[in-house]
């Protein structure tokens, strides 16, 4: 169709043009909305989820935050997110949100929810049982001093569903208090055990809590139970563990006596409990326990030898590391050699690491100890073995050495880190960021920046951004 310019009304042309371009171009409101969505950072979007999201959305966010913290790298926004989560708990009674936030904070020993948790206990008739349980566990993990009385009142009510968790939390809370708090809590627990006829399952929880308090006032009852051969093995075991936690010398004879028990679990617990004590009788008992046919007793002996840095145990530990039929015993023996850390122990660890005839698991554990004790001397050697493992397609060995190197405290990993950042896979780059953080390798910031724009691996991009934030870099 043709129009003569002199005959087409101007208003028609304006109308036609507005409709035509309106089809092609978004409105100002659409442009503003799109820009607002793009402008919001990930942290701002997370804050919106906390403020306005459903329980499912908040639970998913908490799970994401938990997984991010496995790198031990905190974002600068963490406190802001925590404050927002605290604010949500003050007004909501949604059990999934409350339980999730309490668990998230408790796993990090993060304070800030003590009063809300106490309120959940005191007003438990208005709360879901899951919320009350999460509140009890949280108060124990953060050792909230104000929780002693509310927890005792909860136990006095003897609501069976809460008692086990409440006893354990009470012991933990007391352990973080004053000497008077510890003694008063121990007295309360012993009275409950002796005079209120608790069921068997509660008796175990009471004895466990008594050891947690760390009060010497509870030693006499723990000794009585540990020495009683007619008592159930499980109760004797927690009594022995309690004596070890308190560490009072008056409990040593009961522990030594338990080493002769016919119950292998009691024996293994007793030898593990020797760690805090000293003297020739203790040393002899540990060495003798390496001969026990029950593998957990040998694990306990290795653990105690490492705790005490018992050099006399080195040949026993070498034998166990090389020949024990149980992998977990070998692991504990290697760890003990690392804890002892003498030249002799280090030489044994080096042989376990270098000799390729040894199983991968043994070589990896030995590398971990060598890098822990002397990273400057062993980092380059482990990198050589790491590269050989990759060349020979030994994936489990490669990953094990990689994990060990990520924990090494030395600048000697810098070249390896640079190589990973430039040509490594996602896992290698993630480990590289861990090594940068652990060793303050600020000079590698230019290599880290490109990772921030990796759209295919948002987790890695976030970790790279947080790494730079940690160093105060944009």
């Amino acid at each position: 169709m043709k129009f003569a310019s002199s005959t087409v009304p101007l208003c028609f042309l304006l109308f036609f043009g507005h409709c035509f371009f309106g089809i092609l171009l978004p409105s100002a409101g659409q442009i503003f909305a799109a820009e607002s969505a793009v402008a919001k950072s990930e942290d701002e979007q997370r804050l919106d989820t906390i403020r306005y999201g459903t329980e499912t959305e908040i639970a998913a966010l908490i799970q994401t935050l938990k997984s991010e913290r496995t790198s031990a790298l905190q974002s600068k926004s963490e406190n802001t997110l925590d404050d927002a989560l605290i604010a949500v708990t003050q007004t909501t009674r949604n059990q999934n949100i409350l339980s999730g936030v309490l668990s998230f904070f408790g796993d990090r020993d993060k304070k800030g929810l003590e009063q809300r948790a106490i309120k959940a206990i005191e007003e438990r008739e208005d709360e879901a049982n899951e919320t009350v349980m999460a509140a009890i566990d949280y108060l124990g993990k953060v050792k909230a001093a104000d929780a002693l009385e509310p927890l005792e009142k909860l136990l006095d009510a003897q609501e069976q569903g809460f008692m086990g968790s409440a006893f354990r939390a009470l012991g933990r809370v007391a352990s973080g208090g004053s000497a008077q708090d510890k003694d008063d809590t121990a007295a309360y627990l012993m009275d409950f055990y002796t005079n209120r006829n608790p069921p068997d399952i509660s008796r175990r929880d009471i004895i466990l809590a008594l050891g947690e308090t760390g009060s010497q006032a509870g030693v006499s009852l723990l000794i009585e139970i540990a020495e009683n051969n007619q008592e159930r093995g499980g109760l004797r075991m927690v009594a022995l563990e309690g004596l070890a936690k308190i560490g009072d010398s008056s409990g040593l004879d009961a522990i030594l006596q338990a080493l002769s028990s016919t119950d292998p679990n009691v024996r293994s617990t007793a030898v593990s409990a020797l760690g805090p004590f000293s003297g020739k009788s203790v040393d002899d008992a540990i060495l003798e326990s390496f001969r026990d046919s029950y593998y957990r007793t040998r694990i306990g002996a290795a653990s105690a030898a490492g705790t005490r840095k018992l050099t006399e145990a080195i040949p026993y530990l070498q034998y166990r590391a090389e020949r024990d039929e149980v992998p977990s015993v070998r692991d504990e023996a290697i760890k003990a050699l690392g804890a002892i850390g003498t030249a002799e122990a280090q030489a044994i660890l080096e042989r376990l690491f270098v000799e390729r005839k040894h199983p991968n698991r043994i070589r990896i554990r030995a590398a971990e100890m060598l890098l822990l004790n002397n990273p400057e001397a062993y980092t380059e050697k482990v990198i050589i073995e790491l590269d050989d493992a990759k060349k020979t397609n030994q994936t489990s060995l490669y990953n094990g050495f990689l994990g060990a190197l990520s924990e090494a405290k030395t600048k000697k990993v810098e070249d390896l880190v640079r190589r990973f950042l430039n040509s490594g896979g996602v896992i290698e780059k993630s480990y590289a960021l861990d090594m940068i953080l652990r060793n303050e390798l600020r000079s590698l910031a230019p290599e880290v920046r490109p990772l921030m724009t990796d759209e295919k691996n948002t987790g890695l991009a976030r970790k790279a951004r947080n790494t730079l934030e940690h160093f105060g870099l944009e």
Side-chain angles (χ1 to χ4, degrees), residues 403-419:
L405 285 164
S406 73
E407 299 289 327
K409 188 75 173 172
T410 173
K411 304 283 187 185
K412 288 193 172 185
V413 297
E414 184 168 351
D415 289 342
L416 178 68
V417 170
R418 183 176 286 106
R419 189 211 306 173

Side-chain angles (χ1 to χ4, degrees), residues 456-470:
K456 294 181 179 179
N457 298 289
T458 56
L460 187 65
R462 185 184 305 113
K463 191 171 182 179
R465 182 171 63 252
N466 291 346
T467 299
L468 293 179
E469 284 182 357
H470 174 79

